[in-house]
Amino acid sequence: MRPITFLPPAPKMPAPSRWACVDASVTCRRCHHEWPDGDPAYQMACRGCGASVGQPCCRPEGGNERVCFQRDQDARRAGVLIPCEGLSWDGRHDKPLKLSLSRTRDARAVLSGAPPARRFAA
């Protein structure tokens, strides 16, 4: 009888991380409404992914450049966010979070859906 051998665990690739400031001004791509103090949906805690107030959404699969649907819905119910008058079937604003590769003073870490940058040796 042969002994059972286990393979060593595969090395974990670091998750692609970017930085974002939730207090930076944001503009809707559909209706061009602007919020100079940041997205008002961040004043609410997110029921979808569990992000706290003032933190970006944190879905484990990435794509956290946008607010979860539940957070937008809660912000509209609370009256801090108006429905979008642009071409949207659900009244949601298209307000992506601006990402940066470098950390600033007020920036928060964001798991992005974008792959990490590769550096090729010359």
Side-chain angles (χ1 to χ4, degrees), residues 13-34:
M13 297 297 293
S17 184
R18 305 289 188 266
W19 301 95
C21 181
V22 296
D23 298 332
S25 67
V26 65
T27 304
C28 176
R29 291 182 186 176
R30 294 181 181 133
C31 68
H32 305 291
H33 188 84
E34 183 178 357

mmCIF file of all heavy atoms in Angstrom, residues 13-34:
data_model
loop_
_atom_site.group_PDB
_atom_site.id
_atom_site.type_symbol
_atom_site.label_atom_id
_atom_site.label_comp_id
_atom_site.label_asym_id
_atom_site.label_seq_id
_atom_site.Cartn_x
_atom_site.Cartn_y
_atom_site.Cartn_z
ATOM 1 N N MET A 13 -1.679 34.347 -5.464
ATOM 2 C CA MET A 13 -1.345 35.567 -6.194
ATOM 3 C C MET A 13 -1.951 36.737 -5.431
ATOM 4 O O MET A 13 -3.085 36.644 -4.962
ATOM 5 C CB MET A 13 -1.919 35.519 -7.617
ATOM 6 C CG MET A 13 -1.353 34.407 -8.476
ATOM 7 S SD MET A 13 0.400 34.584 -8.768
ATOM 8 C CE MET A 13 0.416 36.050 -9.753
ATOM 9 N N PRO A 14 -1.222 37.825 -5.277
ATOM 10 C CA PRO A 14 -1.785 38.962 -4.549
ATOM 11 C C PRO A 14 -2.969 39.546 -5.313
ATOM 12 O O PRO A 14 -2.982 39.582 -6.539
ATOM 13 C CB PRO A 14 -0.631 39.966 -4.476
ATOM 14 C CG PRO A 14 0.285 39.571 -5.571
ATOM 15 C CD PRO A 14 0.113 38.103 -5.765
ATOM 16 N N ALA A 15 -3.975 39.937 -4.582
ATOM 17 C CA ALA A 15 -5.167 40.518 -5.210
ATOM 18 C C ALA A 15 -4.810 41.895 -5.753
ATOM 19 O O ALA A 15 -4.104 42.663 -5.101
ATOM 20 C CB ALA A 15 -6.281 40.639 -4.187
ATOM 21 N N PRO A 16 -5.274 42.204 -6.962
ATOM 22 C CA PRO A 16 -4.989 43.527 -7.508
ATOM 23 C C PRO A 16 -5.671 44.595 -6.669
ATOM 24 O O PRO A 16 -6.866 44.538 -6.437
ATOM 25 C CB PRO A 16 -5.554 43.473 -8.924
ATOM 26 C CG PRO A 16 -6.503 42.344 -8.922
ATOM 27 C CD PRO A 16 -6.064 41.395 -7.876
ATOM 28 N N SER A 17 -4.905 45.518 -6.158
ATOM 29 C CA SER A 17 -5.444 46.544 -5.289
ATOM 30 C C SER A 17 -5.161 47.917 -5.863
ATOM 31 O O SER A 17 -4.094 48.175 -6.395
ATOM 32 C CB SER A 17 -4.821 46.420 -3.899
ATOM 33 O OG SER A 17 -5.401 47.357 -3.035
ATOM 34 N N ARG A 18 -6.140 48.765 -5.799
ATOM 35 C CA ARG A 18 -6.015 50.164 -6.203
ATOM 36 C C ARG A 18 -6.455 51.015 -5.028
ATOM 37 O O ARG A 18 -6.937 50.521 -4.026
ATOM 38 C CB ARG A 18 -6.906 50.457 -7.424
ATOM 39 C CG ARG A 18 -6.669 49.551 -8.619
ATOM 40 C CD ARG A 18 -5.335 49.857 -9.290
ATOM 41 N NE ARG A 18 -5.195 49.130 -10.533
ATOM 42 C CZ ARG A 18 -4.605 47.961 -10.669
ATOM 43 N NH1 ARG A 18 -4.140 47.338 -9.624
ATOM 44 N NH2 ARG A 18 -4.479 47.396 -11.844
ATOM 45 N N TRP A 19 -6.316 52.296 -5.159
ATOM 46 C CA TRP A 19 -6.686 53.238 -4.111
ATOM 47 C C TRP A 19 -7.742 54.182 -4.645
ATOM 48 O O TRP A 19 -7.713 54.572 -5.806
ATOM 49 C CB TRP A 19 -5.459 54.006 -3.641
ATOM 50 C CG TRP A 19 -4.406 53.101 -3.108
ATOM 51 C CD1 TRP A 19 -3.339 52.584 -3.777
ATOM 52 C CD2 TRP A 19 -4.346 52.546 -1.805
ATOM 53 N NE1 TRP A 19 -2.623 51.749 -2.967
ATOM 54 C CE2 TRP A 19 -3.216 51.718 -1.745
ATOM 55 C CE3 TRP A 19 -5.137 52.678 -0.673
ATOM 56 C CZ2 TRP A 19 -2.846 51.030 -0.605
ATOM 57 C CZ3 TRP A 19 -4.777 51.989 0.469
ATOM 58 C CH2 TRP A 19 -3.643 51.173 0.501
ATOM 59 N N ALA A 20 -8.676 54.557 -3.785
ATOM 60 C CA ALA A 20 -9.745 55.462 -4.187
ATOM 61 C C ALA A 20 -10.117 56.356 -3.019
ATOM 62 O O ALA A 20 -10.067 55.942 -1.856
ATOM 63 C CB ALA A 20 -10.956 54.677 -4.643
ATOM 64 N N CYS A 21 -10.495 57.573 -3.338
ATOM 65 C CA CYS A 21 -10.960 58.526 -2.331
ATOM 66 C C CYS A 21 -12.467 58.677 -2.501
ATOM 67 O O CYS A 21 -12.924 59.167 -3.535
ATOM 68 C CB CYS A 21 -10.255 59.863 -2.499
ATOM 69 S SG CYS A 21 -10.762 61.071 -1.266
ATOM 70 N N VAL A 22 -13.244 58.260 -1.519
ATOM 71 C CA VAL A 22 -14.697 58.327 -1.630
ATOM 72 C C VAL A 22 -15.223 59.743 -1.448
ATOM 73 O O VAL A 22 -16.388 60.010 -1.718
ATOM 74 C CB VAL A 22 -15.389 57.363 -0.632
ATOM 75 C CG1 VAL A 22 -15.044 55.933 -0.956
ATOM 76 C CG2 VAL A 22 -15.029 57.701 0.788
ATOM 77 N N ASP A 23 -14.373 60.668 -1.002
ATOM 78 C CA ASP A 23 -14.787 62.061 -0.819
ATOM 79 C C ASP A 23 -14.493 62.916 -2.048
ATOM 80 O O ASP A 23 -14.799 64.102 -2.056
ATOM 81 C CB ASP A 23 -14.073 62.671 0.391
ATOM 82 C CG ASP A 23 -14.431 61.945 1.679
ATOM 83 O OD1 ASP A 23 -15.540 61.382 1.748
ATOM 84 O OD2 ASP A 23 -13.608 61.943 2.611
ATOM 85 N N ALA A 24 -13.889 62.350 -3.087
ATOM 86 C CA ALA A 24 -13.582 63.101 -4.307
ATOM 87 C C ALA A 24 -14.865 63.337 -5.095
ATOM 88 O O ALA A 24 -15.811 62.562 -5.028
ATOM 89 C CB ALA A 24 -12.571 62.342 -5.152
ATOM 90 N N SER A 25 -14.884 64.409 -5.866
ATOM 91 C CA SER A 25 -16.083 64.721 -6.649
ATOM 92 C C SER A 25 -16.334 63.638 -7.690
ATOM 93 O O SER A 25 -15.406 63.024 -8.207
ATOM 94 C CB SER A 25 -15.940 66.078 -7.326
ATOM 95 O OG SER A 25 -14.942 66.021 -8.304
ATOM 96 N N VAL A 26 -17.605 63.390 -7.969
ATOM 97 C CA VAL A 26 -18.008 62.355 -8.913
ATOM 98 C C VAL A 26 -19.143 62.905 -9.776
ATOM 99 O O VAL A 26 -19.938 63.705 -9.329
ATOM 100 C CB VAL A 26 -18.425 61.058 -8.166
ATOM 101 C CG1 VAL A 26 -19.653 61.261 -7.336
ATOM 102 C CG2 VAL A 26 -18.596 59.907 -9.106
ATOM 103 N N THR A 27 -19.160 62.474 -11.048
ATOM 104 C CA THR A 27 -20.175 62.916 -12.005
ATOM 105 C C THR A 27 -20.831 61.702 -12.642
ATOM 106 O O THR A 27 -20.150 60.753 -13.022
ATOM 107 C CB THR A 27 -19.533 63.784 -13.104
ATOM 108 O OG1 THR A 27 -18.852 64.871 -12.486
ATOM 109 C CG2 THR A 27 -20.576 64.319 -14.057
ATOM 110 N N CYS A 28 -22.154 61.754 -12.774
ATOM 111 C CA CYS A 28 -22.896 60.682 -13.433
ATOM 112 C C CYS A 28 -22.637 60.753 -14.929
ATOM 113 O O CYS A 28 -22.711 61.822 -15.530
ATOM 114 C CB CYS A 28 -24.386 60.816 -13.141
ATOM 115 S SG CYS A 28 -25.409 59.605 -14.008
ATOM 116 N N ARG A 29 -22.351 59.610 -15.535
ATOM 117 C CA ARG A 29 -22.083 59.582 -16.973
ATOM 118 C C ARG A 29 -23.354 59.719 -17.808
ATOM 119 O O ARG A 29 -23.280 60.022 -18.979
ATOM 120 C CB ARG A 29 -21.399 58.273 -17.346
ATOM 121 C CG ARG A 29 -20.009 58.147 -16.826
ATOM 122 C CD ARG A 29 -19.435 56.839 -17.306
ATOM 123 N NE ARG A 29 -18.138 56.573 -16.722
ATOM 124 C CZ ARG A 29 -17.469 55.460 -16.918
ATOM 125 N NH1 ARG A 29 -17.960 54.511 -17.669
ATOM 126 N NH2 ARG A 29 -16.300 55.286 -16.352
ATOM 127 N N ARG A 30 -24.499 59.459 -17.214
ATOM 128 C CA ARG A 30 -25.760 59.514 -17.966
ATOM 129 C C ARG A 30 -26.412 60.892 -17.936
ATOM 130 O O ARG A 30 -26.750 61.445 -18.965
ATOM 131 C CB ARG A 30 -26.731 58.470 -17.417
ATOM 132 C CG ARG A 30 -26.256 57.056 -17.645
ATOM 133 C CD ARG A 30 -27.265 56.056 -17.113
ATOM 134 N NE ARG A 30 -26.793 54.706 -17.319
ATOM 135 C CZ ARG A 30 -26.808 53.759 -16.395
ATOM 136 N NH1 ARG A 30 -27.289 54.011 -15.215
ATOM 137 N NH2 ARG A 30 -26.359 52.566 -16.677
ATOM 138 N N CYS A 31 -26.615 61.436 -16.723
ATOM 139 C CA CYS A 31 -27.330 62.712 -16.616
ATOM 140 C C CYS A 31 -26.394 63.889 -16.338
ATOM 141 O O CYS A 31 -26.844 65.024 -16.275
ATOM 142 C CB CYS A 31 -28.406 62.633 -15.538
ATOM 143 S SG CYS A 31 -27.768 62.479 -13.853
ATOM 144 N N HIS A 32 -25.113 63.620 -16.115
ATOM 145 C CA HIS A 32 -24.077 64.629 -15.874
ATOM 146 C C HIS A 32 -24.304 65.416 -14.588
ATOM 147 O O HIS A 32 -23.839 66.541 -14.459
ATOM 148 C CB HIS A 32 -23.925 65.575 -17.070
ATOM 149 C CG HIS A 32 -23.660 64.843 -18.346
ATOM 150 N ND1 HIS A 32 -22.482 64.187 -18.577
ATOM 151 C CD2 HIS A 32 -24.436 64.631 -19.436
ATOM 152 C CE1 HIS A 32 -22.528 63.615 -19.774
ATOM 153 N NE2 HIS A 32 -23.708 63.857 -20.308
ATOM 154 N N HIS A 33 -25.027 64.836 -13.635
ATOM 155 C CA HIS A 33 -25.182 65.454 -12.322
ATOM 156 C C HIS A 33 -23.866 65.272 -11.568
ATOM 157 O O HIS A 33 -23.255 64.212 -11.628
ATOM 158 C CB HIS A 33 -26.340 64.800 -11.567
ATOM 159 C CG HIS A 33 -26.688 65.489 -10.298
ATOM 160 N ND1 HIS A 33 -27.520 66.574 -10.252
ATOM 161 C CD2 HIS A 33 -26.301 65.259 -9.026
ATOM 162 C CE1 HIS A 33 -27.639 66.986 -9.010
ATOM 163 N NE2 HIS A 33 -26.903 66.192 -8.242
ATOM 164 N N GLU A 34 -23.442 66.292 -10.857
ATOM 165 C CA GLU A 34 -22.152 66.239 -10.165
ATOM 166 C C GLU A 34 -22.351 66.375 -8.664
ATOM 167 O O GLU A 34 -23.171 67.164 -8.198
ATOM 168 C CB GLU A 34 -21.233 67.359 -10.663
ATOM 169 C CG GLU A 34 -19.863 67.314 -10.024
ATOM 170 C CD GLU A 34 -18.922 68.388 -10.545
ATOM 171 O OE1 GLU A 34 -19.320 69.131 -11.446
ATOM 172 O OE2 GLU A 34 -17.816 68.470 -10.028
#
